[in-house]
Amino acid sequence: DQQVKQNSPSLSVQEGRISILNCDYTNSMFDYFLWYKKYPAEGPTFLISISSIKDKNEDGRFTVFLNKSAKHLSLHIVPSQPGDSAVYFCAASAQETSGSRLTFGEGTQLTVNP
Amino acid sequence: NAGVMQNPRHLVRRRGQEARLRCSPMKGHSHVYWYRQLPEEGLKFMVYLQKENIIDESGMPKERFSAEFPKEGPSILRIQQVVRGDSAAYFCASSKGAYGFGYTFGSGTRLTVV
C-alpha cells in the first residue's frame, strides 16, 4: 500500500527554467510534508517542509505547494541549476499516529541540463 | 561538528551470515531512526529508538532483524542469517528530540548479500 506516490520517475529540464516535481498521498492523517534531495552514494538531505495548516512555503529558489483537498503537493525549483540534478523524495508524517516516522515516495530523478 | 556517521559504508555478507550496521548520531542527538532503501524504491521506515529504548519498531521485519541504542556507543542494526533480499542501502538518521522533522541522515551502509 503505497501511501505516498511520485508518479514521475524522472524529469529533465533546461538550466534556468522551472522544475516542478509532484507528489500525491492517500492517507488523510498526514499533516506534515517534507522534500529531501539525494545524491548518489549519499544520504538524503532535508530541503523544505510544509505543515498541513499552510498551502505554500518558500525558501529561496524552492517553493512547496500543498493542495489538501486533492491530496497533492509539488516542489517548484526556479531557476533550475545543474547542481540541482539529484533524486528528490517526497515524505509525509502523521504526527498523532506515527510521530516521527516518515513515509517516503519512490523518488524522482531530476536532471538539469546546462 | 560531525554529522551522522554510519559504518561500514559497504558490507558484503554471504547468505546465512550476520550483518551489523553501526550508526553514531550527531552530537547532542538522542533519537535515532533506521530506514531501508531497496533498489528502485523509496526509503522505508524500520525502527525509531531513543537511548536504551525502542520507541517504534513497526517497520522491522518480525524475524532476523533487531536494533539497539545503548546508553554508551552507537546504535546497532543487526540482521541475522542474511538472505539475498536483505541487499539494500540502510540509512540512519538522528534528531535532538521527538518530532525531529528534517532530521539528519547518514550516508548509509550498502549491504550486499552474495
Side-chain angles (χ1 to χ4, degrees):
Chain A
D1 176 25
Q2 188 67 25
Q3 297 186 59
V4 177
K5 281 198 71 65
Q6 295 175 254
N7 289 314
S8 298
S10 61
L11 174 68
S12 184
V13 300
Q14 284 300 120
E15 182 178 5
R17 307 292 275 271
I18 185 171
S19 296
I20 300 177
L21 297 102
N22 294 301
C23 178
D24 297 293
Y25 62 96
T26 57
N27 188 343
S28 57
M29 298 297 291
F30 285 148
D31 55 8
Y32 199 85
F33 304 89
L34 308 89
W35 284 93
Y36 282 83
K37 174 179 176 179
K38 186 180 180 305
Y39 293 116
E42 293 185 15
T45 303
F46 170 72
L47 206 52
I48 192 169
S49 63
I50 188 167
S51 164
S52 59
I53 61 174
K54 294 186 172 183
D55 55 18
K56 177 183 174 181
N57 188 26
E58 194 171 349
D59 183 1
R61 297 186 296 115
F62 302 91
T63 303
V64 55
F65 296 91
L66 175 62
N67 183 333
K68 280 179 61 179
S69 60
K71 293 191 176 68
H72 177 84
L73 66 155
S74 60
L75 174 68
H76 292 211
I77 307 173
V78 57
S80 302
Q81 299 173 354
D84 296 329
S85 297
V87 177
Y88 289 78
F89 289 100
C90 166
S93 175
Q95 290 193 45
E96 273 195 41
T97 55
S98 59
S100 296
R101 175 165 28 119
L102 295 179
T103 301
F104 282 82
E106 309 93 323
T108 296
Q109 171 70 59
L110 173 66
T111 302
V112 180
N113 301 304
Chain B
N1 185 19
V4 177
M5 303 300 293
Q6 289 190 248
N7 65 81
R9 289 295 303 271
H10 300 275
L11 182 61
V12 179
R13 284 287 177 267
R14 295 187 185 279
R15 280 178 295 171
Q17 291 185 319
E18 178 179 283
R20 280 195 182 206
L21 289 65
R22 286 177 290 278
C23 169
S24 296
M26 283 185 70
K27 188 175 181 181
H29 286 191
S30 58
H31 298 248
V32 164
Y33 315 82
W34 286 92
Y35 285 78
R36 175 167 68 172
Q37 184 182 20
L38 294 168
E40 308 301 324
E41 293 187 15
L43 284 78
K44 297 282 196 289
F45 170 80
M46 299 184 76
V47 62
Y48 163 34
L49 311 103
Q50 291 179 33
K51 286 281 187 182
E52 300 184 276
N53 284 306
I54 297 175
I55 306 301
D56 179 357
E57 57 181 348
S58 57
M60 287 275 272
K62 295 286 184 268
E63 296 177 352
R64 303 187 298 108
F65 285 73
S66 62
E68 62 177 9
F69 188 16
K71 189 175 179 182
E72 301 290 337
S75 175
I76 306 287
L77 179 67
R78 184 182 291 112
I79 312 172
Q80 295 178 301
Q81 299 173 331
V82 296
V83 301
R84 289 233 170 94
D86 297 332
S87 295
Y90 291 82
F91 292 98
C92 168
S94 74
S95 66
K96 193 171 284 190
Y99 304 113
F101 300 118
Y103 40 56
T104 304
F105 279 91
S107 296
T109 293
R110 275 140 192 88
L111 172 66
T112 302
V113 179
V114 297

